[in-house]
Structures are given as C-alpha cells and as structure tokens.
Amino acid sequence: MNNDDVVTERHPFEPWVPDDAKVLIMGTFPPQPKRWSMEFYYPNRTNDFWYMMGLIYYGDRNALLLPGTKDFDLPRIKELLNREGIALHDTGRLIRRLAGNASDKFLEIVEPVDLEALLARMPHLRAIATTGEKAAGVLALLTGTEAPKMGEKVRWEERGIDLWRMPSTSRAYPLALDKKAAYYRRILDK
C-alpha cells in the first residue's frame, strides 16, 4: 500500500483560543477517536498532558479529573485554560496515519495548520510551545526558523515570539511526569 491509499483525516477540533491568549501549545494531531475520553485536546487518558497541567497548577496530578473517576473534568480544564491564557491547537490540519496509530513517527502531515490565521486571533501571544519533535519541525517550517532542541527555544524575530520545543506528553516518551512538568513550567509560570 502506498501513501495515496491511506485515508486522510481533517483535524476534529476548533482551535481553543482564550480572549487573552499568551501561550499557544501545539501538538501534532489528536489520536484516533476510539482513543478519546472526551472531545477536546489531549483526549487520551494515557497521555500525560492533563495530569501534568494538574500538577503544575494545582499540585495534584489528578486535579483535572472528575472526583472519584478517571474522566477528565472538561469544564474545569477550559476554565484553567481561559484563566491562564493558554491556547491549544495542532500543527497538522490534514494528515495520514501510515501505521493506523497516533505515533508521530507514522504521521504524515498532508496540510499544516494555517498559522497566520490562528495567530491573528492572538495579539498578546508571547510563546508557542510544541509537544514533541514532529510538531517542532512543522512549526519551524511554517515560521522559517530552526527547530529548537528539546527544552530550548528559538526566537521568531518577525513576530517577536519565542518558539519552544517541550517533551512529548505521550507516555511513550520516557520521562517522568514531574520532569515533564518542570519543562512546561518554564513557559507557563511567566
């Protein structure tokens, strides 16, 4: 089977853009819907993103779960994002899954995000953080910058925005939750 035989998928979520967005966090693309526990970004329970955000903002990895469950508390998540000025979207608008899973290694970006249109909605943006290597590479192509090393940033001089590459929040990425949180705190605690 060649790449042309693989079905394309369009991004299922609208960008999450608080009124006063200061930081934009960009992954590559959501997992397949069968892996979702909610219809929102980082919907997979086995992804560390919301556990990490709970640890950063509430000192408790389970703070963004509904009490007594393993389900994410979407209203509380949205309230946190709005309060802290954190926008979410992904670098892929249209993709092909070459191995039928969510691994970036087997994800082909057919069409990237319309970054200019997205940024037009965020006049106060000071930083973009990508959650992994592939997203960082796509963002570098879109901005004409170099992709930063993990945990580092480059300056997008044209826009005056710092572009950070953070560790993947996938559990497949071998880094403890508290160490992932330490990286993300560098851009979220400002």
Side-chain angles (χ1 to χ4, degrees), residues 53-142:
M53 295 295 275
L55 193 58
I56 290 170
Y57 287 102
Y58 301 102
D60 177 3
R61 67 172 277 128
N62 295 320
L64 295 172
L65 296 177
L66 290 167
T69 74
K70 293 183 180 183
D71 296 326
F72 293 115
D73 186 341
L74 188 53
R76 189 165 192 206
I77 286 170
K78 290 179 176 180
E79 181 226 317
L80 167 69
L81 297 171
N82 284 336
R83 182 184 74 227
E84 300 297 331
I86 301 169
L88 300 175
H89 200 44
D90 291 311
T91 56
R93 182 190 297 187
L94 189 69
I95 59 98
R96 287 189 187 103
R97 294 182 201 277
L98 304 179
N101 61 34
S103 171
D104 280 359
K105 182 178 178 183
F106 301 108
L107 202 65
E108 176 189 1
I109 304 288
V110 176
E111 181 183 327
V113 64
D114 182 346
L115 188 61
E116 290 301 319
L118 183 59
L119 294 182
R121 298 174 58 187
M122 295 179 259
H124 305 290
L125 195 72
R126 61 173 168 74
I128 300 173
T130 55
T131 61
E133 183 177 9
K134 186 165 199 115
V138 173
L139 187 62
L141 288 172
L142 293 174

Side-chain angles (χ1 to χ4, degrees), residues 22-23 115 119 123-129 136 139-149 151-165 186-187 190:
K22 293 173 187 67
V23 174
L115 188 61
L119 294 182
H124 305 290
L125 195 72
R126 61 173 168 74
I128 300 173
L139 187 62
L141 288 172
L142 293 174
T143 59
T145 61
E146 293 291 320
K149 294 179 182 173
E152 296 183 7
K153 68 179 176 179
V154 298
R155 184 78 171 168
W156 185 15
E157 293 296 340
E158 179 183 319
R159 289 293 191 114
I161 296 173
D162 290 332
L163 308 177
W164 290 83
R165 176 177 159 203
R186 295 172 60 197
I187 60 161
K190 296 187 183 244

Side-chain angles (χ1 to χ4, degrees), residues 11-16 30-45 50 71-75 77-78 81 88 90:
H11 200 288
F13 308 132
E14 288 296 316
W16 181 262
Q32 296 162 304
K34 67 183 179 184
R35 303 271 184 239
W36 297 0
S37 64
M38 63 179 174
E39 290 188 19
F40 196 66
Y41 292 89
Y42 304 98
N44 191 334
R45 284 188 189 96
W50 297 118
D71 296 326
F72 293 115
D73 186 341
L74 188 53
I77 286 170
K78 290 179 176 180
L81 297 171
L88 300 175
D90 291 311

